[in-house]
Amino acid sequence: MERSCLAIVLAAGESTRMKSSMSKVLHPIGGRPMIAHVMESLAEAGISATALVLGRDAEAVEKVARRDEMAVSSYLQTERLGTAHAVLAAGAAIADGYDDILVVFGDTPLITAAPLLAARKGLAEGNDVVVIGFETTSPTGYGRLIVENGALVAIREEKDASEAERKITYCNGGLMAIDGRKALSLIEKIGNANAKGEYYLTDIVEVANAAGGSAIAVAAPETELMGCNNRAELAGIEAVWQRRRRHELMVSGVSMIAPETVFLAYDTAIAQDVLIEPNVVFGPGVTIESGAVIHAFSHLEGAHVGAGATVGPYARLRPGANLGPDSKVGNFCEVKKAEIGAGAKVNHLTYIGDAFVGAKTNIGAGTITCNYDGVNKHITQIGANAFIGSNSSLVAPVSVGDGALVASGSVITDDVPADAVAFGRAHQTIKPGRAKVLREQYLAEKAERKKSSAE
Ligand code: UD1
Ligand code: CA
């Protein structure tokens, strides 16, 4: 029978070292609060019940941590007396009775499902405590894992460790699984006689051993256990996350010429045979269909790019941009909340916002949809196979029918019927010889001014 599991997410920290107006677990990694990454890994590990231990910004943290497939309950830790004390804040949830208790940290967002499953497996094999550890060349600051004959004897916090213990490079990632039937009685035995005067969850190892139980450590990659205490560590975690996500996309069939210059969001979805050129940034909510090319220096957010479409270089797709198959949005173009039909072209220096552009329509350089009157947004509707001449302003609400042609430089304020030509510009007049007359006049005036100022 499957073992039941309660995950306890510790997120009550003050985040002092982040020097921030919000809790560190709300800071984004890949465009999403770091605690949401932790919750996703818990869901991937098949965990269906989670207790959040909250302090600062409790309401906001609870909101971003919620997930549909999981029962999430919240507990406040009002005094911050250590990690064991924090777990006990969720004591009522533990008392509901679970086979496994999994303790994770809200500020360790790179953890994946695999080590969590490995820790639970250790419980299923009869251990009372399974700690997730990692090997590192820089153990400073971490609790050290004291392992003898395959058994975990103790975890020693840096501040309480002897000279010899500090040389140990196998460290505590902070995450652990505990036998759910024994968890409360073990944690309640933990005291605070240590350098920091805190109730250390790590002391559970010695408590379990003293009670005749068994503890082991399972190793995970160091990168999965990187914790976030300050902005520099936040950037370090972001870098690891970006590398991991780029790699996943590349092995799934996405080409990147300079992957280290491409920045992804947690939900960036890119199909096979898409080419991403250097220096492209994805905000949340982007999907790209197969065969599309995203040229260099483009910025996309909340946008959909159809199969075979091309974007950029230097294009900006904002939320609601929906590019049809084989369409083109070229250099220095911005598209917002607009449909660009199949095969349509928006090639140069253009703003298309709150608009519909039909299939195969060509939007000339410098076209602007004037969608905003200072108070309200209005819609521009352009049909299929239309042609908008360069440097035209389409003053919304306005429509241009299928096959219509707008002369360049037009300011279009009235609807243009299908197949019509619209001129919305001043008539040109020619005055033969007049330029020469003017030039001579100006030169004469200038010479006169120079002469009088010299006198
Ligand atoms: C902890 C471990 C250490 C491990 C390291 C890994 C203990 C005693 N030490 O140390 O062995 O190597 O993590 O990163 O567990 N928290 C609360 N309430 C509290 C105290 C902490 O919610 O009263 C939360 C923090 O917000 C944080 C997590 O628990 O998310 C860990 O606490 P922190 O003080 O950062 O522990 P470390 O000293 O880093
Ligand atoms: Ca920490």
Side-chain angles (χ1 to χ4, degrees), residues 1 12 44 47 62 95 113 138 158 164 187 190-191 245 253 294 302 349-350 356 369 383 386 403 419 428:
M1 216 187 73
E44 279 170 5
I47 289 153
E62 184 182 74
S138 39
E158 168 105 6
I187 298 169
I190 294 173
R245 189 73 193 113
I294 312 298
L349 302 153
T350 287
F356 296 86
T369 54
D419 292 320
Q428 180 175 320

Side-chain angles (χ1 to χ4, degrees), residues 136-307:
T136 179
T137 50
S138 39
T140 307
Y142 291 110
R144 309 300 205 282
L145 301 183
I146 302 174
V147 179
E148 282 169 18
N149 302 320
L152 182 61
V153 177
I155 303 176
R156 196 77 69 228
E157 289 305 295
E158 168 105 6
K159 285 193 174 159
D160 304 292
S162 67
E163 201 59 40
E165 286 167 341
R166 285 189 190 177
K167 294 212 169 76
I168 297 172
T169 53
Y170 195 19
C171 291
N172 176 24
L175 285 50
M176 67 174 76
I178 308 166
D179 182 325
R181 313 293 166 190
K182 300 180 183 166
L184 274 179
S185 68
L186 292 176
I187 298 169
E188 278 163 358
K189 289 199 187 87
I190 294 173
N192 64 350
N194 53 52
K196 281 166 98 178
E198 281 189 6
Y199 295 89
Y200 290 162
L201 181 61
T202 46
D203 284 352
I204 195 172
V205 172
E206 281 167 291
V207 170
N209 285 325
S214 68
I216 58 165
V218 292
E222 183 175 4
T223 48
E224 293 203 22
L225 295 164
M226 286 170 76
C228 179
N229 294 312
N230 58 42
R231 309 272 180 156
E233 287 171 355
L234 180 70
I237 289 169
E238 178 80 34
V240 172
W241 186 88
Q242 290 289 344
R243 224 176 294 140
R244 186 192 280 177
R245 189 73 193 113
R246 289 173 198 132
H247 182 80
E248 286 170 357
L249 285 172
M250 288 188 284
V251 296
S252 77
V254 175
S255 284
M256 297 184 193
I257 294 169
E260 65 283 6
T261 67
V262 173
F263 295 89
L264 303 157
Y266 68 98
D267 60 351
T268 307
I270 309 181
Q272 196 179 306
D273 287 318
V274 168
L275 169 65
I276 313 287
E277 289 189 352
N279 297 299
V280 172
V281 176
F282 294 93
V286 176
T287 49
I288 303 187
E289 305 285 347
S290 80
V293 177
I294 312 298
H295 291 290
F297 299 100
S298 293
H299 189 286
L300 299 81
E301 183 183 358
H304 174 80
V305 177

Side-chain angles (χ1 to χ4, degrees), residues 415-435:
D415 290 351
V416 180
D419 292 320
V421 176
F423 284 89
R425 64 190 187 206
H427 271 289
Q428 180 175 320
T429 51
I430 299 280
K431 300 188 176 176
R434 181 72 181 145

